[in-house]
Amino acid sequence: MPAVVLVGPMGAGKSTVGALLASRLGVALRDTDADIAAAAGKSVQDIFVDEGEEHFRTVEASAVAAALAEHEGVVSLGGGAVLAEQSRALLEGHTVVYLRVGVADAVKRVGLGSGRPLLLGNVRGRIKALLEERAPIYESVATLIVDTDDRTAADVADEIAAALSGQNPAAAGNRN
């Protein structure tokens, strides 16, 4: 069972925070988007373009199931992984941290010239819509919610590590 699973939208810092958190905990990071890209031999963006979102989501659900079953360190899920009901069910009983990010910070981190397939067109508008649509889902699977706006990845990783070790009981119960 993973030590912790990170969820949240693109731009929340799952990969960056995940790497720092894994280092602090002395475990490995497993990123399901990286797993998918490695297995396919092409980027997530290329999978979306070449095979479509439906195909990607099917592959993603399998990658999530494998990571949750096999990995004992930190697992970082792709932004849309929680859309699959079977993935949400598999998250039950795990320590799941939702990295919450606002529109302004997400746009800064992702960039307006993003090559992400779900952001074609009006990047800021698409990010805002995705955040509004998915926030309730992220919140529903989270055992801990950590705000990332105006914070360094190191600070966020430190907060999560402290909450996991019980050094900050207030943070461990933070579901705001």
Side-chain angles (χ1 to χ4, degrees):
M1 179 185 258
V4 63
V5 180
L6 301 179
V7 301
M10 61 186 83
K14 297 179 301 291
S15 297
T16 305
V17 169
L20 292 168
L21 181 60
S23 176
R24 282 161 177 69
L25 298 176
V27 299
L29 169 66
R30 184 160 174 182
D31 184 312
T32 57
D33 278 352
D35 289 352
I36 294 165
K42 56 184 165 182
S43 71
V44 166
Q45 291 85 350
D46 286 344
I47 296 168
F48 259 82
V49 171
D50 297 345
E51 284 127 54
E53 183 175 0
E54 185 177 337
H55 171 78
F56 175 78
R57 295 297 176 204
T58 300
V59 172
E60 182 177 51
S62 295
V64 169
L68 294 177
E70 300 165 3
H71 192 69
E72 295 181 356
V74 175
V75 173
S76 173
L77 302 186
V82 297
L83 298 176
E85 188 175 325
Q86 67 265 35
S87 295
R88 290 193 306 272
L90 290 173
L91 288 171
E92 290 180 21
H94 289 277
T95 299
V96 179
V97 178
Y98 165 29
L99 299 181
R100 184 165 48 195
V101 64
V103 174
D105 276 36
V107 169
K108 279 191 271 187
R109 293 174 189 166
V110 171
L112 290 174
S114 174
R116 298 176 188 240
L118 289 178
L119 298 183
L120 295 177
N122 176 355
V123 173
R124 185 177 182 82
R126 286 294 299 142
I127 287 176
K128 183 177 186 300
L130 287 171
L131 291 177
E132 289 171 356
E133 170 190 316
R134 295 178 180 178
I137 300 169
Y138 296 131
E139 290 172 4
S140 75
V141 300
T143 55
L144 173 65
I145 298 171
V146 177
D147 289 308
T148 66
D149 284 354
D150 299 318
R151 298 178 70 193
T152 67
D155 183 42
V156 173
D158 287 344
E159 179 179 335
I160 297 167
L164 293 175
S165 70
Q167 295 173 6
N168 187 352
N174 177 12
R175 290 189 54 95
N176 299 333

